[in-house]
Every structure is written in structure tokens, then in C-alpha cells.
Amino acid sequence: MSTVQKKKLLSGPMIRNAVKDSFVKLNPVTLMKNPVMFVVEVGTFIVLMMVLLPGYFHASEALGFNITVFVILLVTVLFANFAEALAEGRGKAQADSLKKTKQDISANKVTGGSIKIVASSELRKGDIVVVSQGELIPGDGEVIEGLASVDESAITGESAPVIKEAGGDFNSVTGGTRVVSDEIKVRITSDPGESFLDRMISLVEGAKRQKTPNEIALNTLLISLTIIFMIVVVTLRPIAGYLDVDLEIPVLIALLVCLIPTTIGGLLSAIGIAGMDRVTQFNVLAMSGKAVEAAGDINTMILDKTGTITFGNRMASEFVPVGKETEEDVAIWAALSSLKDETPEGRSVIELVKKLGYSYDAGLASGAEFIEFRAETRMSGMDLPDGHKVRKGAVDSVKRWVASQGGIIPDNLDQHSNSIAGKGGTPLAVAVGNRIYGLIYLKDTVKPGMKERFEELRKMGIKTIMCTGDNPLTAATIAAEAGVDGFIAESTPENKIEVIRSEQKEGKLVAMTGDGTNDAPALAKADVGLAMNSGTAAAKEAANMVDLDSDPSKIIEVVAIGKQLLMTRGALTTFSIANDIAKYFAIIPAMFTLAIPEMEVLNIMGLGSPSSAIISALIFNAIIIPLLIPLAMRGVSYKPMSSTRLLRRNIFVYGFGGVVVPFLGIKLIDMVVSLWI
């Protein structure tokens, strides 16, 4: 992960900028975007007028109380602004780091038959540029000629360069990355201001962050509750007057502010921005907040087998003896043949021997001659100092080599070889001189921990479907080993679209990963499409998320982040509304106890006086917002479980907790405030 994303939750400069922005956001035009806090600001202004013009409002006797209410209300608005500014500040910090990567560099533009040096800002979609070793790629594009090693650390944070070549699924390059070897010809695919890096900067800044459907729905609920409580408070004064209870305007405003959901109103925007930020921390660029939310509601996940569920390289998984040989003999000779074989297959043979606990003399490699693999022989091996010639390779090639030395082919060699091939594996024969010892069973190995991760998804209620071009027998073997819920063998792009449509017809949301042009239609059709940054421009354009690390299995983390975002919003909404119950028991008795002594029975917290009760409730209402900022930014911890269990847990923790915490908090604050009043 890049240094751009290794951010602390809070830092000094970030807090200072957020404090400054908190006052800037007091502008009513800005605050109107948050209706709940706008109502609080209007109430703050009204109380301020009563403080500045006490004679006009006949509020001279309660001047001290009014000043206290004004200060607390102002702090409440500032805290809400601070939460949003802090979340935006983290995005801006990331954007500033990315802007350092974005620079106006020179480009070798192909014009006619010549090369013209121009500024990268002058390049347009369709232009062709030549980029040589050591030069920065001037803009997003596709390699149309050549092959080169490209350093993408400025974007992904990974130091290892990646190979980009014309044709295939690895021809996409990003502006601001550097060519470290060879030379490539690139066709630019974006106009100035529309590049991948430009979009990334805009999104992490929050400049183009649109409210998601769930966020809009919740905002509508908060507005509705605010309007309802406003009506209640407005009608409360004439009712109280009928009972000869004089309710002052600051008291009514205090009641309104305590009853409307100010906690979630102040944190709602911060939760959304922080959700996008958490995705970015995983080196995933979400094109919209809607995509992150959709990930949280996913029912079905479609995953490619190669590179996602499996390593993609065929690895040694078993030693199969033939004739009268033993597994240990096969393992030892296979290891000796692989001592200097640096291919993934060769390294996997050594690892399997160690795993099985067999020992061999690695010192033999020092004086041995390594026989490299060649297409003509289809074998590799070692000529050992003691005269033994060890070979491993394609079964037919090894059989011919052994036969040429007068050896006898074991009767069950072909049977075992065909059995491995029938399972979708690759058999490699191991021979020493004129004697075949057995076979190495190579297969595309499932990544460690995938079965457990799919079990977690199952607990979330998500069905997993593996797509592979393998035959049904191999597909079934891998599917059983990985623990997926279903698979599609001999899969085509059309098959992926068909299964997506089938799941969506049942009202399910579908996620999938892909990197090739042939994946683009399915990525566009899926509700959440995660494209690989190493893939084609078509795939990245079709998807609504791009993984900068090009790790297909990261879709699992994206789903968890989406669920965490929805949980955080739901949990804090529950907590906010539950808060109102405690504040109700603090303020209502305080308003009416003097005129109606019977109301004292509702003062279950035993608060000191009407004034201290109101002040204490207001103070708690204000300070709970900054206390919840870390939770809003970091997100509620998520553990895979069923929706029913999750709902039950959150209602207990944030519903019951949302009632108990204010009771304790208001009581403690009242004990201090009573001493002052």
C-alpha cells in the first residue's frame, strides 16, 4: 500500500484545518445542505438575538441562561461541521499526495512520420506517443506497439514494476507512471482533466461525491423527524400557556435541538465520506458512493478461477509412484532434478518435498550440471557428480529419453498419467537414467485461506460462483477444494452475463471481477464491477470500481467495507434516535415540574433543577458528536454473521446503549452543572 494511504485517523495539520473549516461551514448557504444542523443554526441565531437584544425580547432576567444555551448550540453546530471537515480533510490530504504525481511533462507525440515534443496537457484522445526507458507516461492510454517494464509505484505504492505489452489484457497504462525498460508506443485514451488520476483526485477530495440512495432516504427520514418535532415544539407553547406554564423561547429551542436527531445529522456526511476513504485505503478507486453501498448489499459474487481463487501457476501437489517405486523415492529424485530450477513449478516441487518431510542432499547441486528446459526436449534436470542423470518433464519426452537408454516403461505409468490429465492437472514424469520413478502432479493450487473467506461470505448470506474455462471435472475439484457454492465450467463471457441476469431477475445484487475486454460487458451488467488496474481500458471504463493493486480477490474486502458503511450508518442512526428517549426524560420534567409537581415522577434521573437539566441535556447533545467522530471515521467493527443476528446485536449495543449512555452522561454533567447554577 502506498504512503498516500497509510494515514493516521487524525493528525495535527488535519485537525487544525478542520477547525478552521468548521467556522467557514457556518455559512447558512453551505449548512442548508444539512437540514438538521441548519435548524440548529437557526435556533442558535434566535437565541443570539435574545442575548444581544434582551430588552426587546423581555429576556433580561434569563440573560445568563440564554448566553449558556447560545454557546452550547453554537458548539453543537461547530462540532457537526468539524466531523464533516475532518472527513473531507482526509480525502484532501490523499488528493494533495496524488497531485504531486500529476505533473505537466513532455511527451513525444507522433505526428506524421516524425516525433514532436509537446506538453502532456496538449495531448488529446487518440494521439499516439512514444515513451522510452526512464520517461514518464504522459497520459492514460493503451500500448499499441512494443513491450516495456513500467513502474506504477506512484499510483499503486507497489515497488515491483509490471510488464505492459501491445495486445491482450495487459496493455493499459496510467499517466504519471514511469517506463523502466525498453520502449513502447501508446495511444492516449483520455482528454486533459479526464484521466484516471484526475478522476481519482476529484473523488478522494469529495468534490464529486453524490449522495447515495440510502443516504438520501436516511436524510429524508431525518428531515421528516425534524419537521414533526418542530410542529410538536411550536404547539407546545400554547398548550403550556393554557396550563399557566410559561415556556421561554430558549427552552423550546433547547427541547427541539435535543429531540431532533442531531447526532446522526452531524455525522451523516462524515460517515459517507469516510466510507469512500476506507475503500481508497485498500487501493480501490470507487467511481461513486453508490458502488460502495451496493457492495454492502451484494447477494451473489462471481469470481474468475485463475488468479482469483487459484494462484494461476501450476504447482506440485502430489508425488505419484509407478511400478514398484515409493513416494519417497519419487520426491527425492524430483527435488534433485529441481535444485536449480527457478520456475514456479520447480520451486513448488522443493516446497512440497519439505512439506512432506522427506530429506535429500542439496549439496549435490554444487558440482552438478543443470540441464535447462528446452522446447525441443520438453525436459529439464541435473547431471549429478556421482554419474546419475535426473530428468523431469513431459511424460512422452521422458519415456523416449528412458527408452533411448534401454529402459523399461512401467505398466501403470500411462494409467496414472491419464488420471492426472483427466482431473485437469499436468503430469511430469521423473526419471533417473533408464528408470522412471513416478509422476509429479501439477495443478493450479487454491490460494491459502480462500475456503475460510468463502465461509465468511456464506455467513454474510452471499453466494459465490466460480467461472473457469476448465473442463467440468477439474472445475468441480477446484470448486470443492475452494468451498464455493457453485461453478460454471468451460465458461464464456456470454455465460457470465447470463448468470448475472439470472441472479438479478430474482432481485439479487451481483458483484464480479475482471480485467479483459471480454469481461467488460459483464462488469457493466453487474451491480458491482471491480476491474483490475492492469487490465484493459475497456474493462476499467465498464466497471464502477478499479483495484490499483490488480488483486481480483480484493472484491471480498470491498464487500466487507460496503457492509461496514451500511452498518455504521444504521448503528449511529439507532444510537441517535435512542438518545432522544433519555433527553426527553431530562427536559420534559424540567419544563413542567414547577407548575405541575406531579411531573416530578418523570424525573427518574433525579436532576438538580430545571435549568441544570436543560443545560446538561444540551451539553451532552453537543459533546456526543465529537466523541462519535472516531467511530464514524473508522466504521463499526464488522464480523460475518446472519442479518438477523447482526440486527439483534446492533439493536442491543446501539439501541439499548443509546438509551443508557445518555442517562449516565446527563446525570454526570448535571452533578457538575448543579454546582455552578
Side-chain angles (χ1 to χ4, degrees):
M1 189 173 289
S2 70
T3 53
V4 170
Q5 291 140 346
K6 291 180 180 177
K7 297 288 182 185
K8 294 181 180 178
L9 185 65
L10 301 173
S11 67
M14 200 180 297
I15 292 174
R16 286 192 294 272
N17 289 332
V19 170
K20 182 179 69 175
D21 289 343
S22 299
F23 287 91
V24 174
K25 288 176 177 288
L26 287 175
N27 184 338
V29 176
T30 304
L31 208 59
M32 283 182 70
K33 297 176 184 177
N34 188 338
V36 176
M37 299 316 299
F38 179 70
V39 169
V40 179
E41 185 177 49
V42 171
T44 306
F45 179 77
I46 292 172
V47 178
L48 174 62
M49 290 296 99
M50 297 183 71
V51 170
L52 297 176
L53 304 170
Y56 182 80
F57 288 95
H58 307 290
S60 302
E61 295 180 4
L63 185 60
F65 177 82
N66 292 350
I67 292 174
T68 305
V69 171
F70 162 72
V71 172
I72 297 173
L73 293 180
L74 177 62
V75 170
T76 303
V77 180
L78 288 173
F79 279 156
N81 290 347
F82 177 77
E84 183 176 24
L86 196 60
E88 290 175 349
R90 296 183 73 193
K92 288 175 182 176
Q94 286 185 327
D96 290 340
S97 298
L98 290 169
K99 284 174 182 176
K100 294 176 183 177
T101 303
K102 187 177 181 296
Q103 49 187 303
D104 196 8
I105 57 179
S106 297
N108 303 314
K109 180 181 176 182
V110 178
T111 306
S114 62
I115 301 292
K116 181 182 179 182
I117 299 178
V118 300
S120 60
S121 57
E122 296 180 23
L123 295 175
R124 297 292 183 273
K125 189 183 294 185
D127 288 345
I128 295 174
V129 297
V130 175
V131 191
S132 303
Q133 181 176 343
E135 295 179 343
L136 290 172
I137 296 173
D140 293 358
E142 294 179 328
V143 180
I144 59 173
E145 187 178 309
L147 176 149
S149 181
V150 178
D151 176 9
E152 296 187 327
S153 59
I155 303 296
T156 67
E158 296 296 332
S159 57
V162 294
I163 301 298
K164 299 290 184 178
E165 59 183 326
D169 293 340
F170 299 96
N171 65 345
S172 174
V173 291
T174 306
T177 56
R178 186 182 298 275
V179 174
V180 294
S181 71
D182 302 296
E183 181 180 279
I184 50 176
K185 190 175 285 186
V186 177
R187 181 190 293 116
I188 300 298
T189 56
S190 63
D191 290 327
E194 299 176 0
S195 71
F196 183 76
L197 198 56
D198 287 318
R199 282 185 294 161
M200 189 171 180
I201 290 169
S202 295
L203 285 163
V204 298
E205 277 183 324
K208 293 186 178 179
R209 195 187 81 87
Q210 296 179 339
K211 290 186 177 181
T212 62
N214 283 343
E215 200 172 347
I216 292 171
L218 181 55
N219 211 35
T220 302
L221 172 63
L222 299 184
I223 293 171
S224 301
L225 290 174
T226 301
I227 292 173
I228 291 170
F229 283 122
M230 283 180 67
I231 294 172
V232 169
V233 170
V234 168
T235 56
L236 195 59
R237 193 173 193 195
I239 294 174
Y242 178 77
L243 297 172
D244 294 327
V245 177
D246 185 20
L247 294 180
E248 298 292 340
I249 291 177
V251 173
L252 292 172
I253 291 175
L255 175 63
L256 175 63
V257 170
C258 285
L259 293 185
I260 63 177
T262 50
T263 306
I264 187 61
L267 296 172
L268 184 59
S269 183
I271 294 169
I273 296 171
M276 293 279 287
D277 179 65
R278 281 195 294 276
V279 173
T280 309
Q281 287 177 31
F282 275 86
N283 261 8
V284 173
L285 175 61
M287 300 307 178
S288 68
K290 183 178 180 181
V292 182
E293 274 194 358
D297 285 329
I298 287 300
N299 305 108
T300 305
M301 189 181 295
I302 299 173
L303 303 117
D304 192 40
K305 184 204 80 172
T306 307
T308 304
I309 295 174
T310 65
F311 283 106
N313 295 320
R314 295 183 182 272
M315 310 290 236
S317 64
E318 186 181 348
F319 296 116
V320 181
V322 295
K324 297 181 180 180
E325 310 299 341
T326 65
E327 182 186 66
E328 183 176 3
D329 291 333
V330 181
I332 291 172
W333 289 117
L336 292 172
S337 72
S338 305
L339 283 174
K340 291 188 178 180
D341 184 355
E342 296 300 327
T343 64
E345 292 86 354
R347 294 300 89 203
S348 72
V349 170
I350 301 297
E351 290 298 322
L352 181 59
V353 172
K354 290 179 180 177
K355 181 180 178 181
L356 294 174
Y358 298 130
S359 60
Y360 57 91
D361 185 5
L364 292 171
S366 59
E369 179 187 356
F370 177 56
I371 308 300
E372 292 188 21
F373 177 87
R374 290 185 297 152
E376 305 88 67
T377 63
R378 298 173 64 207
M379 293 188 302
S380 66
M382 300 273 279
D383 287 349
L384 302 176
D386 61 4
H388 284 102
K389 294 184 177 181
V390 189
R391 297 290 184 274
K392 75 171 188 294
V395 175
D396 290 343
S397 298
V398 173
K399 284 167 65 176
R400 283 194 298 269
W401 184 72
V402 169
S404 69
Q405 299 184 71
I408 298 174
I409 309 301
D411 294 335
N412 60 349
L413 176 65
D414 288 337
Q415 177 188 344
H416 287 305
S417 175
N418 292 334
S419 174
I420 292 172
K423 297 176 184 177
T426 302
L428 293 182
V430 178
V432 183
N434 62 356
R435 183 175 172 183
I436 295 179
Y437 277 79
L439 299 165
I440 303 171
Y441 180 1
L442 294 181
K443 71 175 183 178
D444 198 356
T445 310
V446 173
K447 292 179 179 179
M450 291 304 292
K451 191 162 190 173
E452 290 76 14
R453 297 181 82 181
F454 289 136
E455 180 60 33
E456 287 183 7
L457 290 172
R458 200 169 291 112
K459 290 177 182 177
M460 297 180 196
I462 297 173
K463 179 171 72 174
T464 51
I465 300 175
M466 180 186 78
C467 289
T468 175
D470 290 335
N471 62 64
L473 181 60
T474 303
T477 302
I478 296 291
E481 189 175 341
V484 293
D485 297 312
F487 66 90
I488 303 173
E490 299 174 345
S491 172
T492 64
E494 290 75 19
N495 293 141
K496 293 178 182 178
I497 294 177
E498 185 179 336
V499 71
I500 290 172
R501 285 176 177 162
S502 174
E503 293 291 316
Q504 288 174 336
K505 282 181 182 177
E506 297 178 13
K508 298 177 181 178
L509 296 184
V510 183
M512 78 157 287
T513 62
D515 58 7
T517 301
N518 62 343
D519 291 323
L523 286 168
K525 182 67 178 172
D527 299 284
V528 175
L530 179 67
M532 303 297 103
N533 190 41
S534 62
T536 62
K540 290 193 281 189
E541 287 294 329
N544 50 22
M545 288 188 182
V546 177
D547 177 22
L548 302 180
D549 294 329
S550 301
D551 176 8
S553 65
K554 199 180 286 184
I555 187 71
I556 299 172
E557 275 81 14
V558 171
V559 168
I561 292 170
K563 286 190 174 295
Q564 187 185 43
L565 171 63
L566 296 175
M567 271 183 53
T568 302
R569 189 178 294 148
L572 292 182
T573 300
T574 303
F575 186 87
S576 177
I577 294 174
N579 263 297
D580 295 339
I581 298 174
K583 288 180 283 189
Y584 168 88
F585 280 102
I587 291 185
I588 295 297
M591 293 169 60
F592 292 96
T593 299
L594 293 178
I596 310 173
E598 291 79 7
M599 291 286 288
E600 179 64 28
V601 72
L602 292 177
N603 185 19
I604 58 177
M605 284 187 270
L607 302 179
S609 67
S611 296
S612 71
I614 294 170
I615 297 298
S616 300
L618 276 179
I619 291 175
F620 178 85
N621 192 64
I623 64 173
I624 196 63
I625 295 176
L627 290 177
L628 290 175
I629 287 176
L631 183 62
M633 300 280 280
R634 191 166 37 238
V636 173
S637 60
Y638 174 70
K639 293 181 180 178
M641 61 180 69
S642 67
S643 300
T644 305
R645 284 186 61 199
L646 197 59
L647 179 62
R648 191 183 303 123
R649 189 193 75 166
N650 285 348
I651 287 177
F652 177 77
V653 174
Y654 297 100
F656 180 70
V659 174
V660 173
V661 170
F663 269 96
L664 296 175
I666 292 172
K667 178 61 179 176
L668 290 174
I669 295 170
D670 180 74
M671 291 169 67
V672 177
V673 171
S674 295
L675 297 175
W676 166 53
I677 292 182

